[in-house]
Amino acid sequence: MSISSINYSSSILGAQIRNINEQLTDLSTQLSTGKLSQNYSGMGTNEGFAIAGRAQLSNIAAYTDTITNVNVSINLANTALQSLTKIRNTVQTGSASTAQDLNVNGQTVAQNTAAAQFGSMVGVLNTQTGSRYLFSGTAVNTQSVADAGDIINGTTTQAGFKTVMAERQAADLGANGMGRLVQTQPTPSSVRVSEDVAGSPFGLKIKAVSSTLTGATVTGPSGSPVSFSVDLNGVNPNNGDKLSVQFTLPDGTTEQIDLTASTATPTPLGSFAIDASVPVNPNNTAANLNTALNTAITKLANTSLVAASAVVAGDNFFDTASSAIGTPVNNQAAPPAPVTGATALSGASPSDSISPGFVAGDTITINGTTLTFVSSGATGNQLNVTDSIQTLLSKIDQITGTSKPSTAHGGSITINTDDAARLNITSSNTGALVSLGFGSTPVIATQPPLRVGSFPASSATTLVNGSANTVKWYLGNDGPGSPRSTAMARVDDAVTVQYGAQANEDAIRRQLQAIAVFGTFSTSPTGQYSGGQVSALSLRVTQALTQQPGQQRIEDIQTDIAMAQNTMKDATTRQTQAKAQLQTIIDQAESASPDQVASQILALQNALQASYQVTSNLAQLSLVKFL
C-alpha cells in the first residue's frame, strides 16, 4: 500500500487561497481607482444605465462645442450690427445739419463723411469668423458685398452706382432741364404744360391743378401724355389770386408750386405781375404767368427733382426686390387720365377703369395661385370686377409675400417681388392683362439693377435690366426664405436655433443705399441750384435713415439673433443640470465605496490568514503524526 503526497496547488484549499488572493487584488484596484472594475463585464447589472448616461454626456459635450462656436458667430454679428447702428447715427446727424457749404468737389462735409462711412459699412458687412462670411446667408464662403470702390465707381466692364445715378438724373431732368415737361403758350392769353411722353418713368408728373384766378379757365390735368392749361380769357386776375400746381416726383414725394398774382413792384418771389399798363393788356399778365411758371418748374426740377432722382437711382441699383412694370390703359372718355390705385378693374365708358376690363368668371393666376373675378361679394381668392387696381395689387402681394408693396404710381403699375425667378402671372383674359400694361404673358419680373433704357438719356422713356453691365453689390445667397434660416444649429436633442444674416436684408440695404446716395452725389460748387439740390437730398437721406413704422430695423435683426442666444443659454442650463444627474448615475453604477472595499479587504485578509494557518498545519502532517 502507498500514500500519495498532498499537492497544495491542486487541493481545494489551494484553490480557495488563490480565489481570496484574486479578490484582494480586485479590491485593491477598486480602492486605488475608485472604480468597481476596469472592464464592463465586472461592473455589474447597473452598467447599462452607466453606458446610456455616458452616451448622453457625449451628446451634451457636442452640443456644448456647437453652442460655443455659434456664440462666437453671434457675438461677432452683433458687434457688426452695433457698428452699423453707429454708422447710421453718424450719417443721419450730418445729413440733418443745416450746413450746406460745398467744397471744390461739390460736396458738403457731411457728404464726405458719408462717403467714408460707406466704406466702413462695406467692411463691416464683410466680417468673417474663420473662413465664414457672416452676412452672406448660405453662401458662407463668398464675400458678402462687393468692394466699396467697385460699387461706387464700377469696374472696367461694369458700371457702378455713380454712373447709374448720372444716367438717371439726365433722364429725369430732360434736355431742357424742366423735368421732362413741355411748356407752351397756345394762345396769347393761355399757358399749357405737358409731360413729354405718356407712361415714361422719368421726370415730374402732373398730379393736380387748382386756381383762384378771377376769370381764368383751368383745364386738366388730363390727356395722354398728361397736361394742363390755364387761360386768362382776356381778364386780369385780382391781386392775391393764386395758381397751384402739384407734381409727383420719381421717389413718390409730392411738391407744389404756388404762384400769386401781384401788383407789387418789384414782383415778390413766388408771384407773377399783373399787367398795369394803360390800357391794361391781360395778355401781358399771361406772359408774366408763363415766365413765372417756367422759372418755378425749372427750379423745382433742378432742386427737389434732382434729389428725388438720386434716391430712385439708389432704388434702381441697390433694391433687390425685383419688379414687373406696366403702363395701363384708362377707360375714361378722351382725353384719358393716368391710372391710379383707385382705378377700377372694369367699368363702362366713361369711367375711371381699365379698358377692356375683367368680367365675372375671369381668372388671374399668380405663382400657381388663382384669383377668380366675381360680380360682387368676393371672398378668399376672389375679386369683384369693380374692385380697384390697388385691391388687386394687395392680393398679388399676399401671394408673392413681397417685402416691398406693389404700387400704382405715375401712371404705371409696379409689381414687386423678392423672388424674381418665381414671379409668373397669367390671366384667362389677356386683353384685361394688356389693359393693366403688361403686353406679354406670362408677366415676369425684371431683375435689378435697372438702367436707363436708351441714349441720350435725356430723351429715354424706359428702364431696362442692367444685370449684364452693372456691378452687383450683394454677392451672397439671394434665395427666398428668411435670412435667419440660412444658418441653423442643433443645440439640444429637440432644439434648433437660426442665426443667419444677409447684407441685402431690407434694414441693411436701405441704410447702405441711403449712405451711398448721400456720399456719391455731387454738384457744381458754384451752381445756381446747388444749395437747393443738397438741401433737398439731405432731407430725403435724413428721412431714409429714420426708422419708419412697419420697416425692418437693424435692431430687429439683433433681437432675432439675441433670441437664438437666449435659447442656447437655456439649453446650456438644462444640459449642466443633466450632466450632474447623469454623472451621479454613472458614479453610482461604477464607483466603489472606499469604506466598503476596505471592510471587504480586511475580511479577506483574515480569511487568507486562517487559510494559510490551516495550510501550514497540513504541510507539517506526517504518517507518524497521522497514525
Side-chain angles (χ1 to χ4, degrees):
M1 163 181 152
S2 64
I3 299 175
S4 300
S5 66
I6 298 174
N7 189 334
Y8 166 78
S9 61
S10 61
S11 69
I12 295 175
L13 186 57
Q16 183 178 358
I17 290 174
R18 287 196 303 274
N19 182 49
I20 292 174
N21 276 322
E22 289 172 359
Q23 292 182 60
L24 281 171
T25 300
D26 289 341
L27 289 171
S28 297
T29 302
Q30 290 179 24
L31 191 62
S32 63
T33 63
K35 298 293 182 181
L36 287 176
S37 177
Q38 300 306 301
N39 53 62
Y40 287 128
S41 62
M43 286 295 185
T45 57
N46 290 329
E47 180 57 17
F49 296 108
I51 293 173
R54 191 171 283 106
Q56 288 179 277
L57 284 176
S58 178
N59 288 340
I60 290 174
Y63 292 141
T64 299
D65 290 342
T66 298
I67 289 172
T68 299
N69 293 333
V70 172
N71 268 321
V72 169
S73 295
I74 287 179
N75 288 335
L76 282 173
N78 188 56
T79 300
L81 293 169
Q82 288 175 336
S83 297
L84 296 185
T85 300
K86 291 179 181 178
I87 290 172
R88 180 191 69 203
N89 293 339
T90 298
V91 176
Q92 186 179 35
T93 299
S95 65
S97 68
T98 56
Q100 303 296 343
D101 296 333
L102 299 174
N103 60 22
V104 293
N105 296 318
Q107 289 190 314
T108 64
V109 172
Q111 288 180 278
N112 286 335
T113 299
Q117 293 296 331
F118 178 81
S120 297
M121 188 171 178
V122 168
V124 169
L125 293 176
N126 283 326
T127 298
Q128 291 177 271
T129 172
S131 60
R132 182 180 184 277
Y133 287 91
L134 295 180
F135 293 95
S136 290
T138 58
V140 294
N141 297 319
T142 302
Q143 183 173 315
S144 307
V145 178
D147 293 340
D150 291 346
I151 293 175
I152 301 302
N153 299 311
T155 65
T156 55
T157 59
Q158 294 179 310
F161 175 58
K162 184 179 290 185
T163 298
V164 172
M165 183 166 62
E167 291 174 354
R168 177 82 204 208
Q169 179 176 317
D172 281 317
L173 265 179
N176 62 1
M178 289 186 63
R180 305 296 291 267
L181 297 178
V182 178
Q183 185 175 342
T184 60
Q185 270 196 281
T187 66
S189 65
S190 65
V191 176
R192 183 175 186 271
V193 178
S194 173
E195 297 173 14
D196 65 345
V197 178
S200 167
F202 304 118
L204 296 169
K205 304 301 177 184
I206 303 168
K207 182 178 181 182
V209 181
S210 62
S211 168
T212 62
L213 299 177
T214 302
T217 301
V218 176
T219 304
S222 60
S224 181
V226 177
S227 68
F228 74 91
S229 63
V230 180
D231 194 334
L232 296 186
N233 295 313
V235 178
N236 259 348
N238 294 322
N239 187 55
D241 288 354
K242 184 179 294 185
L243 174 69
S244 299
V245 186
Q246 284 188 347
F247 296 96
T248 301
L249 280 64
D251 63 350
T253 59
T254 300
E255 301 241 0
Q256 181 168 303
I257 290 174
D258 293 316
L259 295 176
T260 304
S262 176
T263 57
T265 303
T267 305
L269 189 67
S271 302
F272 63 96
I274 299 173
D275 181 62
S277 60
V278 180
V280 172
N281 186 351
N283 288 347
N284 291 339
T285 304
N288 294 338
L289 172 61
N290 183 60
T291 300
L293 186 58
N294 184 279
T295 299
I297 290 175
T298 300
K299 180 180 179 181
L300 177 63
N302 284 275
T303 54
S304 295
L305 174 63
V306 168
S309 178
V311 170
V312 175
D315 283 336
N316 296 158
F317 185 87
F318 287 96
D319 194 351
T320 55
S322 305
S323 61
I325 301 175
T327 305
V329 178
N330 196 290
N331 192 41
Q332 287 188 334
V339 300
T340 66
T343 301
L345 296 170
S346 71
S349 179
S351 70
D352 184 13
S353 62
I354 61 172
S355 175
F358 292 96
V359 299
D362 286 346
T363 60
I364 184 167
T365 302
I366 304 97
N367 295 353
T369 298
T370 299
L371 302 176
T372 303
F373 288 88
V374 296
S375 298
S376 61
T379 60
N381 286 342
Q382 293 180 331
L383 285 163
N384 297 314
V385 292
T386 55
D387 281 339
S388 67
I389 286 177
Q390 189 56 57
T391 301
L392 172 61
L393 294 181
S394 296
K395 287 278 190 180
I396 292 174
D397 288 350
Q398 290 175 13
I399 294 170
T400 63
T402 178
S403 60
K404 182 178 182 181
S406 300
T407 62
H409 166 69
S412 297
I413 289 177
T414 302
I415 298 174
N416 292 313
T417 174
D418 294 343
D419 186 2
R422 190 175 175 221
L423 184 68
N424 185 296
I425 301 176
T426 59
S427 176
S428 62
N429 187 338
T430 55
L433 198 61
V434 169
S435 296
L436 287 172
F438 300 104
S440 61
T441 184
V443 177
I444 58 176
T446 300
Q447 288 271 19
L450 297 176
R451 298 280 297 276
V452 173
S454 60
F455 292 91
S458 59
S459 59
T461 59
T462 59
L463 286 167
V464 297
N465 185 349
S467 299
N469 60 356
T470 312
V471 169
K472 184 179 181 182
W473 70 272
Y474 175 65
L475 305 177
N477 170 65
D478 200 18
S482 167
R484 246 37 91 235
S485 66
T486 59
M488 296 188 292
R490 184 172 295 280
V491 296
D492 208 344
D493 289 341
V495 179
T496 300
V497 295
Q498 299 182 349
Y499 60 100
Q502 294 179 189
N504 66 341
E505 292 189 52
D506 192 51
I508 299 174
R509 189 269 307 165
R510 281 189 289 104
Q511 177 174 322
L512 185 71
Q513 175 180 323
I515 294 174
V517 168
F518 196 48
T520 303
F521 180 85
S522 64
T523 186
S524 169
T526 58
Q528 178 182 0
Y529 302 108
S530 297
Q533 291 173 2
V534 175
S535 179
L537 181 63
S538 297
L539 181 65
R540 283 166 168 78
V541 169
T542 301
Q543 181 72 13
L545 293 175
T546 300
Q547 302 302 311
Q548 303 296 324
Q551 290 182 336
Q552 185 196 41
R553 304 175 303 163
I554 297 291
E555 292 80 0
D556 294 333
I557 302 174
Q558 290 179 291
T559 298
D560 288 344
I561 62 175
M563 290 176 61
Q565 207 160 30
N566 287 336
T567 298
M568 292 190 296
K569 182 178 179 181
D570 292 341
T572 298
T573 300
R574 291 193 303 272
Q575 290 164 4
T576 300
Q577 296 171 348
K579 282 171 63 176
Q581 295 171 350
L582 291 168
Q583 193 60 55
T584 298
I585 292 173
I586 294 171
D587 290 344
Q588 289 175 346
E590 296 183 345
S591 298
S593 169
D595 293 339
Q596 184 178 356
V597 172
S599 176
Q600 290 175 323
I601 289 174
L602 182 60
L604 287 172
Q605 285 175 337
N606 291 333
L608 183 62
Q609 184 177 2
S611 297
Y612 280 143
Q613 184 65 45
V614 172
T615 302
S616 174
N617 291 335
L618 289 176
Q620 297 175 13
L621 186 63
S622 65
L623 180 60
V624 175
K625 290 182 178 181
F626 179 76
L627 295 175

